[in-house]
Amino acid sequence: MLKRGTARRHVAQFYRQLALLYRSGVNLERSLEICARQTSSVGLRAQSRRLAEDLRHGVRMSDAVARIGAPFTPLHAGVILAAETTGWYEQGFEQLATWEEKADSLERQIRSLLTYPILVVTIAAVGTCLLLRFLSPLIADVVKQTGGEASLATRIVLLLGQTIWSWQFCLGISIAAVVLLFVGYRLMRNAWLKRAWERWSMYLPLVGRLLKKAWLIRVARCLNSLMKAGIPLVTCIELAADATGNSYLGEVVLRDAAMGVRKGERLSQALPKKQLSSAFIGMMAVGETSGRLPDMLGRVADLHEIELSNEIEAVLRGIEPFIITVVGGVVLLCLMASLQPLYSMIMRL
C-alpha cells in the first residue's frame, strides 16, 4: 500500500494530465510546469518542478524520477525508461495513471474494511462509557436506599462505572495509546519490524486472506503495466517486488521467481505454489501458452478484484451482527442492573 505523503489519486491525475499534454504536442518540460501549477498536492507540485528543472539540465526523466523518490516509485522509473526507449511516452503515462487509479481503488476497499468496524466499536465504547458514567451513581443510590443485596449484574455495572472513570484507568489508557502510537511509528520506520508485520499480517483471521488477495491484484496489475511498456520479464518481476506494497512477499515470491526465470523457467513454473492461488498460476500459464500474458494478467487482476469486493462485503456483513450483539449485550446488562434494585424494593413492599 501507498505509504507516501501524496495520495495516489493526485499521482494518477498527474500522469493522466502528462499523457494528455504530450498527446497535444507539448514537450515534457513544459508539461511538467503546467502540471505543477494545476495540481492541488503541495508535495507533487514541488517534485514536478524538480523534474522540470532536471530536464532543463539534460537529465533523462526516468533518471530524475528514480533520483527524486517519493511520491514516485521504481515502477514509475521503469515504465518511463521503457517509454524513453520506444518513444511511446503517452502510452507509458497512461499505464502509470491506470496503475495508480487501480491501486487507489484497491486501497480504499481495504481501508473501508478496517475503518467501519473500528468506527462502530469506538462509538459503542464511548457511548457505553458515558452510559456507565451517569447510570452507575444512580444505581448506587437506589441500592443504598433499598438496603438490599445487589445482584451480579448490578455489581458488575457499579464496578465498571467506578473503574472506567478512575484516574488510574484513564492514565493506563493514555499510556497504552502512546505506546501503540510509538510502536506504529517505529513499525513504519524500521525495515525489520515492517517486514515482520508484513509477514504475520498474512495470517490474521479474516483480514489476512484479504490482504494476500489484494497483494496478488497489485502484482498482476504491476506486471501488466510493465510488460505492456516493453520491459524485459525479469526486470518486470524485480520492479513489481518493490512496488506492490509487501516487501516480505515480494522477496519470498517474486525475487525467487525472477531467479527461476533467469534459469529458463516459465513464470508460472517459477512462482511458488504455496503462496499463490492455483487459479492465479493456472491463468498465468494459459497466458504464457497463448502468448498473451499481459492481457491475461489484467483479466486475472479484474477477476480477483471482483472476488475481493465480494469477500469484503461478506466480512462486513458478518462483523455488523457481532458488533450489534456485543453492544446490545452491554445495554441489556445496564438495564438489568438498573431494574434489579427497583424490583427488589417493590417485592419487599
Side-chain angles (χ1 to χ4, degrees), residues 116-188:
Y116 176 74
I118 292 174
L119 181 62
V120 173
V121 169
T122 301
I123 293 174
V126 172
T128 303
C129 290
L130 292 174
L131 181 64
L132 292 171
R133 171 67 178 86
F134 295 104
L135 191 61
S136 57
L138 297 177
I139 296 175
D141 290 340
V142 172
V143 172
K144 185 177 180 180
Q145 292 175 10
T146 57
E149 183 179 354
S151 66
L152 177 61
T154 304
R155 292 198 299 270
I156 292 175
V157 169
L158 292 176
L159 178 62
L160 289 175
Q162 294 170 358
T163 303
I164 289 176
W165 293 97
S166 64
W167 69 268
Q168 295 94 336
F169 181 80
C170 294
L171 180 62
I173 289 294
S174 301
I175 294 174
V178 172
V179 170
L180 287 176
L181 289 174
F182 176 77
V183 170
Y185 175 78
R186 295 295 299 173
L187 184 66
M188 301 304 298

Side-chain angles (χ1 to χ4, degrees), residues 69-109:
F72 307 114
T73 67
L75 168 67
H76 299 171
V79 172
I80 294 172
L81 176 61
E84 290 170 341
T85 304
T86 60
W88 296 343
Y89 283 101
E90 178 187 338
Q91 291 87 338
F93 294 147
E94 288 285 357
Q95 288 169 5
L96 289 175
T98 302
W99 155 257
E100 292 292 341
E101 288 167 352
K102 294 289 187 181
D104 180 61
S105 174
L106 183 62
E107 286 183 5
R108 283 190 280 108
Q109 285 183 313

Side-chain angles (χ1 to χ4, degrees), residues 131 153 157 325-339:
L131 181 64
V157 169
T325 301
V326 173
V327 174
V330 173
V331 173
L332 178 61
L333 178 65
C334 293
L335 289 176
M336 291 174 60
S338 304
L339 295 176

Side-chain angles (χ1 to χ4, degrees), residues 188-201:
M188 301 304 298
R189 302 284 294 181
N190 186 284
W192 185 86
L193 291 175
K194 180 182 175 184
R195 183 181 172 87
W197 162 251
E198 289 172 345
R199 176 180 182 181
W200 294 111
S201 64

